[in-house]
Amino acid sequence: MLADAVIGADGYRSVVRRAISPDAPYARYAGYLVWRGLVNEQELARPISWPSDGGLWIDFVQGYRLVAAVLPGQDGSMEIGRRQVTFAWFDAHRDVLLRATNRLTPEGYLMGTLGRRSIDKDIRSELLSMIPSLWPDVWAAAVTLGVQSTTSLSGAPIAEYLPERLVSGPLAIVGDAAHVVSPMTGSGFATGVDDAALLSRALAKRRHDESMAAALLRYENARLPYTRALVAHSRQLSAQYVNHASGVDLVQENYHAPRTTL
Ligand SMILES: Cc1cc2nc3c(=O)[nH]c(=O)nc-3n(C[C@H](O)[C@H](O)[C@H](O)COP(=O)(O)OP(=O)(O)OC[C@H]3O[C@@H](n4cnc5c(N)ncnc54)[C@H](O)[C@@H]3O)c2cc1C
């Protein structure tokens, strides 16, 4: 059976995007990666001294950035001692590693992430040795456990993609397939959801004499300006971060709430 349309929601390395924009098929590396970990509070010697409603901790120290928070435990509990701890450690010094592992092309395109099992002992040791001088006591034990764990730590190089088009004939893209932004925008997921809502509206309003390509083009016209502006904003945030990170000690920003004790 022939399809009337193909909608690509296939992420930052989208195959459908390659068909829509063969001249610009890949997302570019934004200049930093994020070490991510998730650990059970029960596995720590002491619970985290951070309240369940404490929101995000965001620190910028010596060119590295830490975002950390407590989440419900695997059973949904927000009881102190039974929660999970998540962290994202931004690191702008991993170009060599990404090139050596074929995640980053010489042209600056991103081809993959560092999965949990592809982070070797030397990298873990290096990260572990940095923790005492970078991260505060409140998160240090959780970050240490996350870095040590071969089932927790992963490395997500951050990509950006500025779209020229979202549609070609009966093909369309949504979400990261269409545009990729830094997590510093806090908007990647929600923008993909909005894309899907706008696309479904464009299709629902399709007149019986209107071609599929014309209906998809209405989606592109409605969506492209916003997504391009968002990617431009993302590029600014990334450039600011990478500049700060390469001029170590230029900036020390703390956004977190006052420390609290249990
Ligand atoms: C470190 C990090 C932190 C982030 N933090 C935030 C945040 O705080 N807030 C926020 O809003 N966003 C955040 N994001 C961005 C957010 O994760 C993405 O914008 C969102 O996941 C994109 O959703 P998506 O469905 O478009 O793509 P994905 O989530 O990438 O899903 C694509 C799916 O397509 C599948 N797929 C790929 N290729 C094919 C194929 N050929 N055939 C079939 N299936 C295929 C994949 O397996 C995957 O399941 C973050 C991203 C990163 C990397």
Side-chain angles (χ1 to χ4, degrees):
M1 192 177 78
L2 278 179
D4 292 331
V6 173
I7 310 301
D10 49 344
Y12 79 102
R13 289 197 300 150
S14 170
V15 170
V16 183
R17 183 206 295 144
R18 288 180 220 169
I20 290 177
S21 291
D23 46 334
Y26 302 118
R28 297 197 78 87
Y29 181 47
Y32 52 100
L33 70 68
V34 176
W35 301 109
R36 288 196 289 183
L38 181 67
V39 302
N40 287 319
E41 205 173 18
Q42 279 166 326
E43 291 170 38
L44 301 171
R46 282 195 309 275
I48 294 280
S49 57
W50 188 253
S52 295
D53 59 358
L56 287 180
W57 170 290
I58 304 179
D59 243 8
F60 188 88
V61 180
Q62 294 176 36
Y64 297 91
R65 185 174 189 258
L66 182 72
V67 181
V70 290
L71 301 175
Q74 284 173 2
D75 62 357
S77 173
M78 282 306 268
E79 197 183 307
I80 287 166
R82 301 184 58 187
R83 304 168 297 180
Q84 295 183 96
V85 185
T86 180
F87 66 86
W89 173 347
F90 289 62
D91 181 342
H93 306 285
R94 298 295 168 185
D95 298 29
V96 172
L97 171 67
L98 293 172
R99 287 188 206 285
T101 51
N102 296 320
R103 267 52 171 199
L104 180 60
T105 70
E107 299 78 24
Y109 298 117
L110 208 50
M111 294 294 136
T113 62
L114 295 169
R116 289 178 173 77
R117 303 211 176 277
S118 64
I119 302 167
D120 69 24
K121 268 199 332 233
D122 292 346
I123 300 284
R124 287 177 200 276
S125 302
E126 189 191 335
L127 293 173
L128 288 171
S129 72
M130 294 160 73
I131 292 170
S133 61
L134 291 182
W135 306 133
D137 289 349
V138 63
W139 303 109
V143 177
T144 300
L145 188 63
V147 170
Q148 285 167 335
S149 164
T150 50
T151 56
S152 172
L153 190 73
S154 62
I158 300 306
E160 284 168 334
Y161 184 81
L162 180 71
E164 293 294 335
R165 57 189 82 91
L166 306 176
V167 161
S168 174
L171 307 179
I173 38 181
V174 297
D176 278 15
H179 40 73
V180 190
V181 293
S182 165
M184 284 194 271
T185 65
S187 299
F189 177 76
T191 306
V193 172
D194 287 348
D195 291 345
L198 272 164
L199 177 59
S200 71
R201 220 170 293 154
L203 294 176
K205 286 186 178 163
R206 184 179 160 210
R207 299 180 308 271
H208 71 278
D209 59 344
E210 187 182 34
S211 70
M212 179 59 77
L216 294 179
L217 211 50
R218 281 193 285 109
Y219 156 70
E220 178 179 273
N221 290 337
R223 204 58 184 144
L224 196 54
Y226 175 79
T227 55
R228 283 181 59 85
L230 182 64
V231 178
H233 173 58
S234 173
R235 285 178 167 181
Q236 278 178 356
L237 294 177
S238 293
Q240 274 169 13
Y241 171 63
V242 171
N243 287 342
H244 287 328
S246 48
V248 172
D249 279 336
L250 269 181
V251 176
Q252 170 132 5
E253 300 172 55
N254 297 317
Y255 296 88
H256 48 80
R259 280 182 198 214
T260 49
T261 47
L262 289 176

